[in-house]
Amino acid sequence: MTEKYLRRVIDNVKTAVIVADQNLKVTYSNRAFRTLFPSASYRGKLGAATACAENNAKCGEDGGCQGCGLAGAFEDAFLSNKEVSRRVFQRVKGPDGVREVAYSITVTPLGGGLCMGAVDDALELEIARELQTAKNIQQRLLPAGKWAGGKKYSYMYIPCREIGGDLPDVYEQDKSAFGVIADVSGKGISAGMLSAFVKAAYDKTAPSPAEAIKCLSAKFRELNLDERNYITVAAVKIDEENITYSMAGHNVPLLLKSENGITRVMLNSPPVSNWFDNPAYFDDILPYKKGDILVLLTDGVTECKNDRGEMFGVDKVVRTLSTARTSDDFIKSLENNLRSFCSDLNDDITAIAFDL
């Protein structure tokens, strides 16, 4: 009766607790611990109890994961009969797939061949889980197909953190293909929330890119954010013979590859922000011919820096485009060139290319 009562008490404390024997077999885990690892098994060894994505069948055995902080903490506590603290890095399985987590655990010998581990920073682990969920949601906001308005397209989206601040979108309206690429201020969670706002607030029923950006600007002003928050946008509408485009503070040119070479297109206008009382956005028209390639980029591509501090730049994008035969060929080559140029992509990398 006493043991049952104590288990009920521990099950309701907020600290995540797990108890294991000398074979690293779990004898008990409380509700808080199971909440942190929702895909884990309540039985088995430590690897199973944390839904470890490695070879948890050999958890704690020869041939198992070497250097596992979790198993090592319990083994050291048993050997020393003293309290042991460790920083644990794991790849664990969750409802949304495999993710990397980090947390601290303190393991205390209880006697009778048992040790108890208490997660010291469960909130950090919970945040990591929520970030992974947010990342998966953001991935579902990306374009789903390869065709729009009779035009084939390809795109690249590589966030530098779990959640990115860039937004590529492609859609069809009245048999025309529309492309939008937006880059919001900041990085991480706040940038991800602002990019989700762009996805929801951008008016896909607007007849032209400038009209859609004007609507986005009006809705952004209703948020009443401070001057540190802004959005740059490049948007295009592709008809049978012309490209109608508009740009809002986007300092990276549109690139059009044709039989005459590569044209760089800029259009000066303010970003979507609260910096100006009555910002104006305009459309312009660019003709094209069948076989041309149209490219939209964010500055994460052109401003990507290598170890020497050199930027990738528009010129390297142009050289990549000059040898590309299709939009898909360009996107694949651009990603390869960026990864070769820069070992650590330190900004969100986004590009869209259309076969015209």
Side-chain angles (χ1 to χ4, degrees):
M1 183 68 179
T2 302
E3 180 181 351
K4 183 177 181 181
Y5 176 76
L6 289 175
R7 281 177 175 263
R8 186 183 303 171
V9 171
I10 297 174
D11 206 37
N12 284 279
V13 300
K14 294 182 178 179
T15 301
V17 172
I18 187 169
V19 178
D21 62 19
Q22 290 178 318
N23 295 318
L24 303 187
K25 184 176 180 180
V26 176
T27 61
Y28 172 74
S29 61
N30 72 346
R31 184 181 299 139
F33 191 92
R34 297 191 296 270
T35 299
L36 292 179
F37 301 96
S39 297
S41 170
Y42 297 163
R43 300 178 181 273
K45 295 190 176 182
L46 291 171
T50 56
C52 182
E54 308 300 340
N55 184 14
N56 63 51
K58 293 188 176 182
C59 181
E61 301 177 9
D62 292 338
C65 302
Q66 300 297 316
C68 172
L70 181 60
F74 274 86
E75 289 172 345
D76 289 349
F78 279 118
L79 289 173
S80 67
N81 198 34
K82 294 181 180 178
E83 186 175 274
V84 173
S85 295
R86 289 285 188 277
R87 186 69 172 166
V88 180
F89 300 90
Q90 273 186 283
R91 294 177 66 249
V92 302
K93 300 174 183 176
D96 301 312
V98 176
R99 71 186 193 278
E100 295 182 358
V101 299
Y103 57 94
S104 297
I105 190 167
T106 299
V107 181
T108 304
L110 299 177
L114 297 174
C115 277
M116 178 183 74
V119 178
D120 295 334
D121 50 5
L123 178 60
E124 180 180 341
L125 187 57
E126 179 69 15
I127 290 173
R129 187 159 64 92
E130 293 298 328
L131 280 174
Q132 182 63 39
T133 300
K135 178 180 179 180
N136 291 334
I137 292 173
Q138 190 174 63
Q139 289 290 324
R140 295 180 184 182
L141 297 179
L142 299 177
K146 291 293 184 181
W147 291 85
K151 305 299 181 185
K152 188 176 181 181
Y153 68 90
S154 185
Y155 74 94
M156 170 177 59
Y157 173 69
I158 307 173
C160 69
R161 297 183 183 178
E162 289 88 348
I163 305 175
D166 284 0
L167 178 72
D169 202 4
V170 178
Y171 60 97
E172 179 178 339
Q173 179 192 322
D174 297 332
K175 298 183 179 180
S176 296
F178 286 74
V180 184
I181 199 162
D183 186 359
V184 310
S185 55
K187 294 181 176 67
I189 296 174
S190 60
M193 293 181 68
L194 196 51
S195 67
F197 161 79
V198 175
K199 177 75 174 183
Y202 193 86
D203 186 5
K204 293 185 178 180
T205 65
S208 75
E211 289 297 325
I213 293 176
K214 288 177 184 176
C215 180
L216 177 65
S217 178
K219 292 179 180 179
F220 177 87
R221 296 172 71 83
E222 292 176 1
L223 296 178
N224 198 29
L225 300 176
D226 63 38
E227 62 183 11
R228 293 172 297 178
N229 296 279
Y230 62 89
I231 306 165
T232 68
V233 185
V236 297
K237 174 184 178 182
I238 306 172
D239 297 317
E240 287 299 322
E241 297 180 348
N242 296 309
I243 301 164
T244 303
Y245 64 93
S246 186
M247 304 174 77
H250 206 74
N251 61 357
V252 184
L254 303 179
L255 302 177
L256 178 64
K257 179 183 179 181
S258 65
E259 59 183 10
N260 297 321
I262 296 176
T263 302
R264 307 185 190 192
V265 181
M266 292 290 294
L267 184 63
N268 293 325
S269 57
V272 173
S273 66
N274 289 323
W275 300 348
F276 307 98
D277 291 333
N278 296 297
Y281 302 102
F282 305 96
D283 288 317
D284 209 341
I285 294 177
L286 182 69
Y288 73 88
K289 292 183 179 180
K290 185 176 177 59
D292 293 351
I293 300 175
L294 175 66
V295 173
L296 290 74
L297 307 162
T298 60
D299 60 10
V301 176
T302 56
E303 296 179 6
C304 179
K305 293 182 180 179
N306 61 15
D307 295 337
R308 297 186 298 274
E310 301 168 334
M311 290 198 298
F312 192 77
V314 176
D315 288 342
K316 288 185 177 62
V317 178
V318 169
R319 286 200 292 272
T320 303
L321 181 57
S322 66
T323 59
R325 302 181 66 179
T326 65
S327 61
D328 192 54
D329 184 25
F330 166 73
I331 292 295
K332 289 178 180 177
S333 297
L334 181 62
E335 180 173 354
N336 289 336
N337 291 343
L338 281 167
R339 293 191 182 278
S340 297
F341 179 80
C342 178
S343 58
D344 181 21
L345 300 178
N346 48 27
D347 199 356
D348 300 327
I349 305 293
T350 308
I352 307 174
F354 290 90
D355 289 318
L356 303 178

